[in-house]
Structure formats: structure tokens, C-alpha cells
Amino acid sequence: MSLLFAPFKLREVTFRNRIVVSPMCQYSSVEGMATDWHLVHLGSRAVGGAGLVITEAAAVSPEGRISAADLGIWNEAQAERLRPITDFIKAQGAVAGIQLAHAGRKAATEAPWRGGQPLGPERGWLTLAPSAIAFAPGYECPREMTEADLDQVSVQFAEAAARACRAGFEVVEIHMAHGYLLHQFLSPLANHRRDGWGGDLEHRLRFPLRVARAVRAAFPSHLPVFVRISATDWVEGGWDLPQSIRLARALEAEGCDLIVASSGGAVPDARIPAGPGFQTPFASAMRQEAGIKTGALGLITDPAQAEQILATGLADMVVMARELLRDPYWPLRAARALGADVQWPVQYQRAKLG
Ligand SMILES: Cc1cc2nc3c(=O)[nH]c(=O)nc-3n(C[C@H](O)[C@H](O)[C@H](O)COP(=O)(O)O)c2cc1C
């Protein structure tokens, strides 16, 4: 019996299998609103058989967008536009999730296919961060967040979570990874504050945990909250795995249900030793040491590899990005490779029977 295709339950939500479509920015929104592209892109991956389909990073405020074409969930019109998408995902037997995000000092850039560079003072907007330190040369210096900003951003995350529920999402994932705002608070490379929100580990954890608490309180208790973290900055003196384990324990205590273990993004010059399954040991360590469910992520492309991650107890779910861009039907093919009998969309049944 394949573990990859064994149903998995968190709170009151049952996933038909352990395959998660990782959030992937599409830079195809208009004023934060989803377009036909999102319905087809996310819908195809639900048709393709994934258990959970998570949207790209959805900004909780306009200034929290990476680019002007990011998805947003800071108003009701955006939530309403997402409703047909969650309905469609559900109708295919998948669970719909949304990643809630604020880019902090990495906001205000061009889409990657336009070069991905900072927009600059004329076309961009004022960015917020724990400390007034630019991400990299060419980026504007962010404004150091005041107490009022901290209050506002945690309310924005909570309101976005409530809106996500109204839009039909059954999972929210808080984005604490890849050098975006909440990761900026965690990492000593970006957080130079000397008040209660920076300094030692306990103080650097405070704001991300406050946001987690606010999101958990705003999202119904029968639905799971995921958190994506960067388990290491890959830089000496930066954020690392032991600190991640402390964070994972604290997130578990706040009622978060699953941590997706990513890495990097805090600074532009980290040397990342990427290779097949390279971040899986982080998922495994947090699962073991913090007693929280985890998702393995990073260069997972092969059904046997995915199955082995679960069979050896390294993680509870397998999160995939680029391979699912190459092939939205990967789950259906993987089921065949692993000898699991899964339901195909009725419209496609003749392809299954072959
Ligand atoms: C086109 C693209 C967009 C991405 N956008 C996001 C995003 O919105 N949020 C996020 O947390 N990660 C994002 N990522 C990172 C992926 O979710 C994933 O962590 C990464 O690609 C590694 O997984 P993979 O080896 O299976 O591709 C993106 C990756 C790609 C390729």
C-alpha cells in the first residue's frame, strides 16, 4: 500500500493523498485579483490529482506584494474572485489552500520575466521591515516598523485568514520563509532591532509568533494552519536549524499543524547546496525534535523518492513545485508507478483504462 496515496487527516480536513502543490507566484493578477490564469493553473493541478493545492503567495496588504502583479487577499473583492477557484479545486476532490504573505523589504520588484529588479522610488512603494536595511544593492531602504505597524500587520494577516475561509480555503499557510517579512524578523541578518522585537532568539521569534497566534485565532479551529519556514539562511551567523526547531516547538504550541521546510532567501549571497531532497533533513529534524507534522520540499521529482520520504518517516506530506509545473498530472502518473488505484476525473477515465 502506497503511503503517498494514503489519505491524511489534519483537524477535520482529509487530504486524498500526501501530495501538495507548493505555492508558486504567477505574477498574473490585476490589482491583487485572480484571473482566468489562476483558475486554469490551480484547477489543472487539482484535476491532476494532488491532495492539496496551495495558491501562490497572496499579499495581506498592497505594500506586502513582491510585484504589482501579485495575488492579494487584502479586500473582499479579491476573496470573491477566488471563490470559483476553490469551488473548482474542491469539485475535483482536492483541498484548496492559500499562502498568506508579506514581502517586507523584498517587496516592490518587477515580475521575473521583466528582469525581477526593484521598481525604484518612482514606480515602487515604501517597503516595511524590522530594520532599515536594504535587501541588496538597488533595493530601496525599507522603513523600520513602528509598534503601530506591527499591530497593523498582525491584524492584516488575521483578516486575510478570515477572508480566506470565506473564500472557501480549508488550509492557510503563513509565509515565514524565503527572506520575506516574517523571516526578516527571525533572521539576525535582517533583524537588528534592540527593542522587544529583536536581539536574542526569544525576541526575534516574538512577532512571527504573534502573527501565527492571530491567524490561528481568525481561522476556524476545525481547519489546519500550515507555516512555511526557511530552516537555515545557509550563512554563518544567520538563522539555522537549531533555531528552527525552537520556532517549530513554539508554532506547535500556538496550534499550527504542519511546517513546510524550505531554506534560504534572507540575503542574496548565500551559497545553497541544492540537490535532490536537500531540504528533507530539515523536515525530519523538526518532526522528530518538535513533534510537529512536516512537509518535505525541494527537488522532489520522482514517485519512489516521494514514497521513500514518507515510508522512512522523514515527513508527513510531500510538497512539490517545479515538477508539477512540468507535469500537472504527476500524481496520476505516480499512482500508476506505485501501484495505487486512484480515481481519475471521470472525463479522463478512458486514459486511465488505456
Ligand atoms: C515559479 C515559482 C514561483 C514560486 N513562488 C513561491 C511562492 O509564492 N511562495 C513560496 O513560498 N515559494 C515559492 N516558490 C518556491 C517553491 O514553492 C518551492 O519551494 C521551490 O521551487 C522548491 O521546490 P521544487 O524543487 O519542487 O521546485 C516558487 C517557485 C517557483 C518555481
Side-chain angles (χ1 to χ4, degrees):
M1 179 63 195
S2 157
L3 265 178
L4 190 60
F5 289 93
F8 180 55
K9 191 172 175 193
L10 286 172
R11 297 189 183 243
E12 295 303 314
V13 176
T14 301
F15 306 94
R16 62 181 162 184
N17 59 49
R18 317 289 184 109
I19 302 164
V20 181
V21 179
S22 198
M24 281 180 277
C25 287
Q26 300 296 296
Y27 307 100
S28 300
S29 304
V30 178
E31 292 177 9
M33 295 216 240
T35 61
D36 289 352
W37 177 261
H38 294 90
L39 175 62
V40 175
H41 163 68
L42 296 165
S44 303
R45 275 132 199 100
V47 169
L52 169 61
V53 178
I54 307 185
T55 71
E56 69 200 79
V60 301
S61 69
E63 62 278 7
R65 288 175 295 176
I66 303 166
S67 83
D70 281 21
L71 189 62
I73 183 130
W74 67 82
N75 65 40
E76 295 305 316
Q78 292 159 348
E80 271 167 39
R81 198 65 74 89
L82 288 161
R83 183 87 219 190
I85 299 177
T86 63
D87 284 345
F88 184 83
I89 291 171
K90 249 183 258 181
Q92 307 314 310
V95 173
I98 184 166
Q99 188 180 52
L100 305 180
H102 191 302
R105 69 178 185 166
K106 288 175 85 172
T109 64
E110 284 282 17
W113 53 81
R114 293 202 192 90
Q117 292 306 306
L119 289 168
E122 258 137 56
R123 292 188 309 131
W125 53 88
L126 181 67
T127 60
L128 297 176
S131 302
I133 308 165
F135 170 64
Y139 279 73
E140 296 303 304
C141 191
R143 181 162 69 72
E144 180 179 307
M145 288 173 75
T146 62
E147 289 288 336
D149 293 327
L150 297 174
D151 293 346
Q152 191 181 29
V153 170
S154 58
V155 168
Q156 286 166 342
F157 269 96
E159 289 181 348
R163 238 172 249 127
C165 175
R166 291 198 287 279
F169 290 100
E170 294 181 293
V171 170
V172 291
E173 177 174 290
I174 306 170
H175 201 344
M176 287 193 191
H178 304 169
Y180 296 117
L181 183 69
L182 300 176
H183 184 184
Q184 289 159 28
F185 274 87
L186 296 172
S187 175
L189 304 178
N191 183 347
H192 291 200
R193 295 176 82 104
R194 293 170 184 279
D195 59 4
W197 306 100
D200 63 14
L201 176 59
E202 195 192 327
H203 290 103
R204 281 180 282 116
L205 293 181
R206 268 184 76 208
F207 186 62
L209 291 177
R210 176 175 168 188
V211 168
R213 194 173 311 135
V215 167
R216 183 65 278 180
F219 203 55
S221 60
H222 66 284
L223 302 177
V225 172
F226 287 20
V227 183
R228 169 174 290 224
I229 72 167
S230 281
T232 174
D233 287 341
W234 298 111
V235 174
E236 194 70 36
W239 180 256
D240 58 14
L241 182 60
Q243 297 177 81
S244 295
I245 290 169
R246 280 276 303 278
L247 171 63
R249 287 196 188 113
L251 289 170
E252 202 271 337
E254 293 295 348
C256 297
D257 299 285
L258 184 141
I259 294 187
V260 177
S262 192
S263 71
V267 287
D269 50 0
R271 293 162 67 101
I272 302 181
F278 73 114
Q279 293 166 155
T280 302
F282 303 138
S284 169
M286 286 188 278
R287 189 171 189 262
Q288 292 236 320
E289 307 276 330
I292 189 164
K293 302 275 190 296
T294 60
L297 166 76
L299 288 167
I300 300 168
T301 56
D302 179 67
Q305 176 196 16
E307 181 70 21
Q308 201 192 11
I309 288 169
L310 301 172
T312 52
L314 301 178
D316 301 277
M317 296 185 101
V318 171
V319 186
M320 297 172 57
R322 288 164 291 178
E323 187 63 10
L324 292 175
L325 289 187
R326 288 185 280 266
D327 181 5
Y329 306 107
W330 187 92
L332 296 176
R333 290 181 200 273
R336 183 174 290 186
L338 297 172
D341 185 23
V342 300
Q343 216 178 334
W344 280 47
V346 285
Q347 297 88 338
Y348 289 5
Q349 252 168 16
R350 287 186 62 187
K352 179 186 185 186
L353 303 174

